[in-house]
Amino acid sequence: MKILLVYPQYPDTFWSFKHALKFAAKKAAFPPLGILTVATMLPVDWEKRLVDMNIERLTDTDIRWADYVFISAMAVQRQSAGEVITRCRQLGTKMVAGGPLFTMEPQAQEFEDVDHLVLGEGEVTVPRFLDDLAKGKAEHIYETSEKPELSRTPVPMWSLINMKHYSSMSLQYSRGCPFNCEFCDIVLLNGHLPRTKGRSQILAELDALYAGGWRGGVFIVDDNFIGNKKKLKTETLPAIIEWRQGKRYPFALSTEASINLADDEELMNLMVDAGFNTVFVGIETPNEASLMECNKFQNQNRDLVASVKKIQNYGMEVQGGFIVGFDSDPLSIFRNQINFIQKSGIVTAMVGLLNAPPGTRLYQRLKQENRLVKVFSGDNTDCSLNFVPRMKYETLINGYRSILETIYSPVHYYERVRTFLAEYRPRRRFSGKLQFYHIRAFVQSIWYLGLMGPGRRYYWKLILSTLLKSPKKFPISISLAVYGYHFRKVVENYLSMPVQVPPESS
């Protein structure tokens, strides 16, 4: 068979890094790891092509070539996924769909034209679908509640992509999260008990990336990388450390973790020795009542700023996720969020509006309260809400906008970079190889930020002070300056949108 694997386009959000990528002549931040893994599960004698719509256009010729189009998507890709489905239907090409978007909303009207929905974890449902397809009796929908061991997960088919188009590669070590935040759908998709890959699997995936010529960043995409601390400390991280030493430190690693990482000094030391220099943490809010409301107990009763600074002191940048719109949020939340973000030195602060993904405990609660108003867009930064908030809608949206306008203004952004750099203690060992695109990005930053940008004097002050006082922090200061350009462009787009009060919340 001829199989076309399609990854829909992301909208322009904080997470797209679209405006920063052009500095390094990259087209997308991360490759489509899930569908590349599914590709390896398909029969070896099938002909396979991949179109990542974040890299290239999907043409009618591509669709007509295929016997089946396989599509995987997250909720934020809903609009692009719907367009792909419509085009496949019009051209008469059969479709197979999976991934979080379809798994969480299999009955959605816009998915009715998909021939086969292969949902849940692919290690279980893909073989069942393929077996039925070979027998000529493939069903419309395949579902499972099983959470398989990750020993069944193959190495992604990296040969389907051109790695040079991406700024980072991806690797999955575990699935699942031990926590149960009310607004999060991770536990619905991947469960509470963290399941992990073994030493040999992780090293095989690192070898595959290395053999493919990759020498840049690798994002460990786990829901919570430290969900199984014991295995990390006794098996996984020591194996990665030994592998890196043998390969002369080719990759810089990043991941996602909970704030209790700051409580384990041994684990932080091992992570840094293994090459981790960035960790994304769900901070959500400095308001204790809102943390209690959403069951974020791992963040409660602690000095969150001190925890962030401790991780920074160990040599890892902390990127943070923040939310406004909780029922318990006071009117002071907007100023409090700004103050916390500035004081913590979290430069990459992803601030979004609370939304209720289908199936979550938040969704069920709001449904019982008759507060749901529209389909979940998957984008919590575009000023859209799928429920009626307790706070007056205009107050919430205007307050949210004030946060974005403030923290990504040049004066506040560069101040935050300096706050971070004062706490940051990077290890001397360099991870990753200096490449031409790094030099290109630096030159581009001089043009767009040092000569043309609105915060020119802040840019030059940062560059000169870093070179004079902390030259080993120079690369990350340039990266953060470039990220700031992206965030400002995204915020400019959001601020240009008129505030429209939904009739349901009037």
Side-chain angles (χ1 to χ4, degrees), residues 152-348:
R152 297 163 61 176
T153 308
V155 175
M157 189 173 287
W158 294 115
S159 60
L160 291 177
I161 67 166
N162 183 343
M163 292 183 178
K164 293 181 179 180
H165 291 320
Y166 299 90
S167 64
S168 176
M169 289 293 104
S170 301
L171 185 155
Q172 187 179 56
Y173 163 65
S174 71
R175 292 181 200 156
C177 180
F179 302 115
N180 192 24
C181 304
E182 186 188 40
F183 56 79
C184 186
D185 60 1
I186 285 170
V187 293
L188 297 174
L189 289 163
N190 294 329
H192 277 297
L193 182 65
R195 293 161 288 138
T196 61
K197 292 177 180 176
R199 168 194 171 102
S200 60
Q201 279 181 285
I202 292 299
L203 297 187
E205 295 204 32
L206 292 173
D207 281 333
L209 291 171
Y210 188 87
W214 187 251
R215 297 296 184 273
V218 176
F219 179 35
I220 311 296
V221 302
D222 297 9
D223 308 316
N224 188 348
F225 181 67
I226 65 170
N228 185 336
K229 292 183 180 181
K230 181 179 180 181
K231 185 173 181 178
L232 272 180
K233 292 192 280 191
T234 59
E235 177 183 332
T236 308
L237 290 174
I240 295 175
I241 292 169
E242 182 181 355
W243 183 90
R244 290 182 73 243
Q245 291 171 343
K247 292 290 194 296
R248 301 184 65 182
Y249 311 98
F251 305 145
L253 305 179
S254 60
T255 193
E256 300 176 294
S258 42
I259 194 64
N260 58 314
L261 170 62
D263 304 333
D264 196 323
E265 296 180 0
E266 179 190 6
L267 180 55
M268 286 191 288
N269 271 321
L270 284 169
M271 286 179 64
V272 173
D273 287 342
F276 286 88
N277 61 16
T278 306
V279 58
F280 179 89
V281 177
I283 303 292
E284 320 312 356
T285 177
N287 185 45
E288 282 285 330
S290 299
L291 290 173
M292 185 177 297
E293 171 192 323
C294 69
N295 200 42
K296 193 93 179 183
F297 65 84
Q298 65 270 30
N299 287 31
Q300 295 175 38
N301 303 314
R302 69 161 67 230
D303 186 335
L304 287 169
V305 170
S307 295
V308 168
K309 290 185 180 294
K310 188 172 183 180
I311 298 172
Q312 294 168 342
N313 293 161
Y314 271 77
M316 289 182 282
E317 178 199 353
V318 175
Q319 300 178 338
F322 297 88
I323 296 174
V324 291
F326 292 109
D327 289 352
S328 302
D329 278 354
L331 292 176
S332 60
I333 189 61
F334 310 110
R335 175 49 54 185
N336 293 342
Q337 286 279 25
I338 292 169
N339 292 339
F340 179 92
I341 291 167
Q342 293 301 121
K343 187 177 179 180
S344 67
I346 296 179
V347 183
T348 302

Side-chain angles (χ1 to χ4, degrees), residues 18-215:
K18 171 184 173 182
H19 304 285
L21 291 170
K22 71 178 184 179
F23 282 71
K26 300 293 183 179
K27 295 185 177 181
F30 308 109
L33 183 65
I35 204 163
L36 288 170
T37 305
V38 169
T40 310
M41 300 177 185
L42 304 180
V44 294
D45 58 339
W46 286 9
E47 189 175 352
K48 307 173 191 75
R49 297 180 186 173
L50 183 141
V51 173
D52 180 351
M53 296 176 66
N54 301 283
I55 300 294
E56 59 186 317
R57 283 195 321 112
L58 175 66
T59 68
D60 289 351
T61 302
D62 294 324
I63 296 173
R64 290 192 182 99
W65 168 86
D67 295 311
Y68 279 92
V69 169
F70 280 55
I71 182 172
S72 177
M74 295 189 288
V76 73
Q77 297 163 290
R78 175 187 293 272
Q79 180 176 341
S80 179
E83 292 168 358
V84 173
I85 292 170
T86 299
R87 291 176 64 186
C88 288
R89 182 194 67 218
Q90 292 172 345
L91 295 171
T93 302
K94 292 184 177 181
M95 290 200 71
V96 180
L101 170 62
F102 302 97
T103 296
M104 297 306 296
E105 302 180 68
Q107 307 304 325
Q109 185 176 356
E110 63 261 50
F111 305 151
E112 290 178 352
D113 292 322
V114 176
D115 297 276
H116 307 286
L117 292 167
V118 182
L119 311 176
E121 301 199 32
E123 292 85 352
V124 178
T125 53
V126 169
R128 284 170 44 197
F129 165 69
L130 294 175
D131 185 55
D132 285 351
L133 187 65
K135 297 175 182 175
K137 57 175 187 178
E139 300 176 2
H140 172 60
I141 190 166
Y142 291 81
E143 296 180 283
T144 182
S145 59
E146 182 181 347
K147 307 300 180 189
E149 292 298 321
L150 300 194
S151 58
R152 297 163 61 176
T153 308
V155 175
M157 189 173 287
W158 294 115
S159 60
L160 291 177
I161 67 166
N162 183 343
M163 292 183 178
K164 293 181 179 180
H165 291 320
Y166 299 90
S167 64
S168 176
M169 289 293 104
S170 301
L171 185 155
Q172 187 179 56
Y173 163 65
S174 71
R175 292 181 200 156
C177 180
F179 302 115
N180 192 24
C181 304
E182 186 188 40
F183 56 79
C184 186
D185 60 1
I186 285 170
V187 293
L188 297 174
L189 289 163
N190 294 329
H192 277 297
L193 182 65
R195 293 161 288 138
T196 61
K197 292 177 180 176
R199 168 194 171 102
S200 60
Q201 279 181 285
I202 292 299
L203 297 187
E205 295 204 32
L206 292 173
D207 281 333
L209 291 171
Y210 188 87
W214 187 251
R215 297 296 184 273

